[in-house]
Amino acid sequence: MKIYFRFIFISLFISNAANAQGLLGKSQQVFTRQDSLRGSITKERAWWDVKQYHLDIKVNPTEQTITGSNTIKYQVLQEYNRMQIDLQNPMEIFKVIQDGKELKYTRDGNVFIIELVAPQRTGTVKELTVFYGGKPKIAVNPPWDGGITWKKDSNGNPFIASSCQGLGASVWWPNKDHMYDEVESMLISVNVPKNLMDVSNGRLQSVTELKDGTTTYNWLVSNPINNYGVNINIGDYVSFSEKYKGEKGDLDCNYYVLRDDLAKAKIQFKDAPRMLKAFEHWFGPYPFYEDSYKLVEAPYLGMEHQSSVTYGNGFKNGYLGRDLSGTGWGLKFDYIIIHESGHEWFANNITYKDIADMWIHESFTDYSESLFLEYYYGKEAAYTYVRGLRKNIQNDKPIIGYYDVNNEGSSDMYYKGANMLHTLRQIVNDDEKWRTILRGLNSTFYHQTVTTKQIEDYLSKSTEMDLSAFFNQYLRDIRIPTLEYFFKNDKLGYRWTNCVPGFNMPIKITVNGTGKLLKPTTGWDSISVKSENAKLEIDENFYVAGFNISE
């Protein structure tokens, strides 16, 4: 019981404080009209389905500007003539053209409403071109407070990159900036000074050198892609490649780094094929064989851009050389390569419809770090690592955010989310079934946008358990469920407290060295045990607290 003292104290403290302050649910938060326009499926969004983008831009490092156009191909789902296009201040739309005619539009903050003239008949496929430009928001603390990063490498060459999860892709290019509708394919054309290279998503189709001393790189994404997964990376890049023999055949792996970092990258990036081997085992085939896998050096920590994962971890193991778990196991791998690439399955393959459900991305991917360790170093290493992450849990607010206002939940979606999934694995208690469930998620929801309910329902069905109270506890509540127990008259009495109504998670314990599986509810129950000098220990792989009320 001593090993749970920290959890007991935190749990009871949080319970009392939260009840006093009304924090067990969500605290009041004020949202604006702009939040709703950004985060909801408005009437001006709902009537059309985006099919293809051609983003064609010129990046000027000296002026720190982006100018160009986005040609949007879409299918009409129902007749309407007002279209919402998102583009954030201080960027501007210069004009919009459809069928050779310039269209009228009005601006409402970060939203442009386009007035369409041509009939928009249900089922037809139409396109329009948005011309735009300006100085996009400079990233303050990328990737968390993103935008465009304008830096120089050690040789004085421009080193530029985008990062915009949460903030939204509309910070640097005009689009339908809501996660529910992924574009089915995309051409990305980026014009840069001739001494630089752009690396974006998908496969490089062509390179065109222009007479004005610039070069255009054309990248084709042939799979669906979420908006924030689209990126530009511009620098004095050199590259090397290899083929990974994976579950779907040969996967092209291409690595782009600054010229001076090539030797270091050839050593450090050996974690990439190791990652692919482990994650294909656990999650199924890499989801974007058609678009290749790329690892691209960036002037910030890193991000899960689809088929173009960005890297800035200093060619060190751990998280900038640190072990987030404090166990030593976090130094066995390069955190950014493993974590951000794990998002290819959970974020890019399976994508949330609403950022309130961001846990679907981060909980599974944070948990994937321990699965990587398990594949190479064994179960005890993996279990030790994921338990070590608990020291980072804050239990400050629910993991799920507010819907329809572009609001994400607590950062506990990382470490608490990983431990929630680790706890669920203990309940399943069948390693091969657990692996089948993880692989099944990626095949069932292949290239789809999803809701929390869809993931919950899938997990309940595949585990053959009603997990509604389990998810209510860990996703929608901030308390650590506490197993309250006592010994008396050769009986062990027990129940769940500090939990949501109906919480009934089974739990593994040992009493006097003998393993048992309890199935507590919120009401008292008991089993026969020899109570004299009895000692109960909770399986430490369950993220719970324990409290002996008989002491």
Side-chain angles (χ1 to χ4, degrees), residues 83-89 91-94 105-114:
M83 174 182 284
Q84 178 176 332
I85 297 295
D86 304 279
L87 183 65
Q88 298 178 32
N89 280 307
M91 302 295 279
E92 291 281 355
I93 288 179
F94 301 142
Y105 55 85
T106 56
R107 182 166 201 165
D108 184 351
N110 295 324
V111 166
F112 289 80
I113 301 298
I114 314 299

Side-chain angles (χ1 to χ4, degrees), residues 252-370:
D252 291 320
C253 299
N254 303 303
Y255 310 110
Y256 295 86
V257 296
L258 294 180
R259 190 171 301 277
D260 290 351
D261 292 332
L262 182 60
K264 290 183 288 186
K266 284 185 174 181
I267 297 171
Q268 192 70 10
F269 285 9
K270 289 179 180 179
D271 260 2
R274 294 178 76 222
M275 171 278 301
L276 288 164
K277 188 175 183 180
F279 288 168
E280 286 208 331
H281 169 82
W282 286 109
F283 302 143
Y286 174 74
F288 308 105
Y289 270 72
E290 302 83 357
D291 288 327
S292 78
Y293 169 83
K294 294 189 296 301
L295 197 56
V296 187
E297 187 174 359
Y300 61 89
L301 184 61
M303 193 75 197
E304 67 262 25
H305 302 106
Q306 184 173 308
S307 72
S308 182
V309 175
T310 46
Y311 176 87
N313 200 39
F315 304 97
K316 302 174 183 177
N317 277 4
Y319 181 99
L320 293 172
R322 295 186 293 113
D323 176 9
L324 294 177
S325 75
T327 67
W329 289 110
L331 297 177
K332 295 292 186 180
F333 60 92
D334 188 309
Y335 176 91
I336 291 299
I337 294 176
I338 305 309
H339 180 93
E340 302 305 342
S341 298
H343 277 307
E344 293 281 46
W345 284 265
F346 293 97
N348 299 337
N349 184 38
I350 304 174
T351 309
Y352 57 66
K353 286 183 184 292
D354 190 301
I355 199 172
D357 291 334
M358 189 174 169
W359 76 272
I360 297 168
H361 295 195
E362 299 301 347
S363 297
F364 281 98
T365 304
D366 220 62
Y367 178 61
S368 77
E369 299 158 23
S370 69

